[in-house]
Amino acid sequence: HNHTCGLRSDGQAVCWGNDNSDESSPPEGPFTALGVGGNHTCGLRPDGEAVCWGSGEWGQTSPPEGPFTALVGGALYTCGLRPGGEAECWGWDGDGQSSPPSGRFTALRAGWHHTCALGVEGDIVCWGWDSHGQKSPPQGAFIALSTGREHTCGLRPDGEVECWGRDLEGRSSPPSGGFTTLSAG
């Protein structure tokens, strides 16, 4: 990801950084949330419509119709949560990253070529590229998750963090202790 986007208090999207594919050139109008991908960005309009801009070479900027409640962007794909909690993805599917499992979820997080979702019961399910065990979350309940390029970390109800996937430079080896939030890079 070579660009960054944010929402102003009036809901206008503002992006900066790389703009070779117009990924930093959002359309006018209000948004309620953004999902930034590799060379594209998608935003949610107040009515839940997904609008995407930037490179659409693999269909990552062509969202399906209907409302979404959340969006996340991966390298060449995007996933969203429907109002009922189902995940739907579009874009490149070479490693299964645009083919989410069935189920109801409360949160999605996208890595480079994999996505993980927090189930309504606190379980985590992952799909997509699995070169380093990114699709193999530990069992049990979680209250939050954060996904990096090739790893994911989940926050347990007791504040402990567990990570899985590529452990290059210790990114999947968290310290012990109580945490309240987490964010993977």
Side-chain angles (χ1 to χ4, degrees), residues 152-180:
T152 300
C153 294
L155 182 63
R156 297 280 190 186
D158 65 0
E160 289 295 320
V161 174
E162 286 194 53
C163 301
W164 56 98
R166 192 167 189 189
D167 196 28
L168 184 66
E169 298 173 342
R171 64 188 73 164
S172 291
S173 299
S176 61
F179 292 86
T180 58

Side-chain angles (χ1 to χ4, degrees), residues 38-64:
N39 58 356
H40 72 286
T41 305
C42 293
L44 281 182
R45 295 289 192 191
D47 66 358
E49 175 193 11
V51 176
C52 302
W53 57 93
S55 175
E57 179 181 0
W58 297 97
Q60 66 267 36
T61 57
S62 301

Side-chain angles (χ1 to χ4, degrees), residues 97-179:
Q97 62 269 55
S98 290
S99 299
S102 60
R104 291 181 44 237
F105 307 104
T106 61
L108 293 174
R109 298 294 181 262
W112 197 239
H113 293 291
H114 79 287
T115 302
C116 293
L118 183 63
V120 294
E121 300 295 325
D123 58 312
I124 293 179
V125 177
C126 301
W127 61 93
W129 192 33
D130 198 29
S131 61
H132 301 285
Q134 301 95 300
K135 289 179 15 179
S136 302
Q139 299 293 314
F142 292 88
I143 58 171
L145 72 155
S146 186
T147 304
R149 183 179 180 116
E150 297 169 324
H151 74 290
T152 300
C153 294
L155 182 63
R156 297 280 190 186
D158 65 0
E160 289 295 320
V161 174
E162 286 194 53
C163 301
W164 56 98
R166 192 167 189 189
D167 196 28
L168 184 66
E169 298 173 342
R171 64 188 73 164
S172 291
S173 299
S176 61
F179 292 86

Side-chain angles (χ1 to χ4, degrees), residues 64-119:
E65 292 183 16
F68 289 91
T69 60
L71 297 173
V72 295
L76 301 170
Y77 72 102
T78 306
C79 293
L81 276 183
R82 293 291 191 177
E86 302 85 8
E88 188 166 350
C89 304
W90 56 96
W92 189 60
D93 198 30
D95 294 307
Q97 62 269 55
S98 290
S99 299
S102 60
R104 291 181 44 237
F105 307 104
T106 61
L108 293 174
R109 298 294 181 262
W112 197 239
H113 293 291
H114 79 287
T115 302
C116 293
L118 183 63

